[in-house]
Amino acid sequence: IDLIGGDIGEASLPQFPEALDQPDRPFVLLEQSNQRTYIAQSGLVGPDGIDKASRPRYQRDSASTPPTDQLALIHTDTESAITVRKTFTLASDTNLISVTFDIENNSASPKTLVPFGQIKRDSSEPPGADTTGFGLQPFLGAATTTDEDRFRKFDFEDMREDPYKGVYQGGWIAMLQHYFLSAWIPDPSTTNTFSTRQTRAGFNIAGFTSPAITVDPGETASYSAQLYVGPKDQYRLAALSPHLDLTVDYGWLWWIAQPLFWLLTKIQSLVSNWGVAII
C-alpha cells in the first residue's frame, strides 16, 4: 500500500504460483513496476475532499493496534481541519479487501466529501499472455453491470473512443484478464456512478463515485467499499454482488457451457480429480 493516496500498488496471490515449478513465487495481479501499471485507488473528492490536484500523504496510525488482518492509515488536512482514517481489512479466504474511511470534522463548518474507487491500468498484456497471435486471446479490459445489461464489457479501445458513464443502485466495476480480475463493489444500498475512460497519458480508468457525505462540525462519518482481487471463481463472485459471476464469460454458448461446468464441479467434488471428472 502506497502512503501517497493510500492506493494498493501491489497484490500477489500466494495460493496461485506464477509457475508450477516455482511454488514459492506467487502470481502478482496488481503491480506498479517498469513492466506494468495496474493499481487500485480510492479516496475522497468533492468540495472538501482531500484527494485534490495532489494526493494526500498518509502515515501508519500508531494510536491504535489493529488486528493482524487490518492496516490503518491516517491523514490530517490542515487546510480543511479534516482527519481521515483509512482502514484496510483483509479477508484472506475470500480475496476480499474492505476499505473504510472514517472522516472527522474538526472545523466549525459542515464538510462535504465524495467517496470514489477506481482501477488504473495501462494497456500492457497480462503476465503469461500469448503474444504470437496463434494462441487463445482472452478478453482484456473493464466490465460492469447495468440496469439494462447484466454484463457489459469495454476493451481499451472502447474506453478511449467512447467513455462510459452509468448511474444505478449497488453495482460493481471490474478489470478483467485471463483467469483473474479486480473489482470494486461499493455500498449496495446507495446509488453509485460508474465510468470508464482513458487518460491523456494512456491509462485506462474504471471506477465509481458514491453519493456525497456531509459531516457536521465535531462529528465523524464513515464510508466503506469492497475490493475483490483474485481468481474468476464464479460461485464466490456470485455471492459478492449480483451478476459479478458473469465476468466468467462463456460467450454465446453460455447456455451449454454453464450447466456443463456446474456438472463438472459436482463430479469433481465426488472423485477429487479434474481429469477423471472431465472423462
Side-chain angles (χ1 to χ4, degrees):
I1 296 176
D2 190 347
L3 293 179
I4 303 297
D7 299 332
I8 301 178
E10 182 176 320
S12 58
L13 307 175
Q15 67 271 46
F16 296 98
E18 188 175 284
L20 291 177
D21 58 353
Q22 296 178 312
D24 296 330
R25 186 173 179 179
F27 180 81
V28 176
L29 184 56
L30 302 183
E31 62 178 302
Q32 178 80 69
S33 66
N34 294 331
Q35 296 176 313
R36 189 172 295 102
T37 293
Y38 181 8
I39 60 177
Q41 301 177 298
S42 57
L44 300 164
V45 291
D48 302 300
I50 60 173
D51 288 88
K52 302 171 184 176
S54 59
R55 306 293 305 285
R57 172 177 280 277
Y58 287 89
Q59 59 184 359
R60 290 286 295 270
D61 185 2
S62 58
S64 62
T65 304
T68 56
D69 61 351
Q70 285 188 353
L71 173 67
L73 306 178
I74 195 164
H75 171 78
T76 299
D77 189 277
T78 55
E79 180 180 346
S80 61
I82 291 175
T83 297
V84 176
R85 190 172 189 265
K86 186 175 185 179
T87 305
F88 300 85
T89 304
L90 175 65
S92 58
D93 58 335
T94 62
N95 293 87
L96 198 63
I97 304 166
S98 293
V99 183
T100 300
F101 293 90
D102 294 303
I103 309 156
E104 181 181 354
N105 182 1
N106 301 304
S107 74
S109 59
K111 300 295 181 182
T112 301
L113 308 94
V114 177
F116 82 90
Q118 65 182 31
I119 301 165
K120 176 181 178 181
R121 196 191 191 288
D122 59 21
S123 299
S124 63
E125 293 292 331
D130 188 312
T131 58
T132 65
F134 295 100
L136 184 67
Q137 300 297 320
F139 176 77
L140 175 64
T144 189
T145 185
T146 74
D147 292 337
E148 295 78 26
D149 301 306
R150 296 187 305 164
F151 177 64
R152 183 172 179 178
K153 58 186 181 180
F154 315 86
D155 60 28
F156 295 150
E157 184 177 351
D158 294 331
M159 297 169 73
R160 181 181 69 251
E161 297 182 354
D162 187 19
Y164 168 78
K165 185 175 182 179
V167 181
Y168 35 92
Q169 183 172 340
W172 50 264
I173 194 158
M175 194 71 74
L176 314 181
Q177 65 187 55
H178 201 195
Y179 302 128
F180 299 98
L181 80 156
S182 58
W184 276 111
I185 308 168
D187 185 345
S189 67
T190 61
T191 298
N192 305 291
T193 301
F194 298 87
S195 62
T196 67
R197 61 186 174 90
Q198 190 176 95
T199 68
R200 292 182 179 179
F203 291 112
N204 305 288
I205 306 292
F208 76 91
T209 57
S210 287
I213 299 171
T214 298
V215 190
D216 291 328
E219 298 295 325
T220 299
S222 297
Y223 176 84
S224 293
Q226 294 182 311
L227 175 70
Y228 178 85
V229 181
K232 292 181 180 178
D233 183 331
Q234 67 178 30
Y235 301 117
R236 183 184 299 178
L237 296 173
L240 294 179
S241 186
H243 313 312
L244 185 56
D245 59 314
L246 298 181
T247 53
V248 182
D249 187 6
Y250 291 106
W252 67 276
L253 285 174
W254 66 268
W255 53 281
I256 295 177
Q258 198 166 47
L260 278 177
F261 181 73
W262 175 86
L263 180 60
L264 185 66
T265 56
K266 292 297 182 182
I267 297 173
Q268 193 275 338
S269 67
L270 297 174
V271 301
S272 300
N273 185 299
W274 284 108
V276 172
I278 292 170
I279 293 170

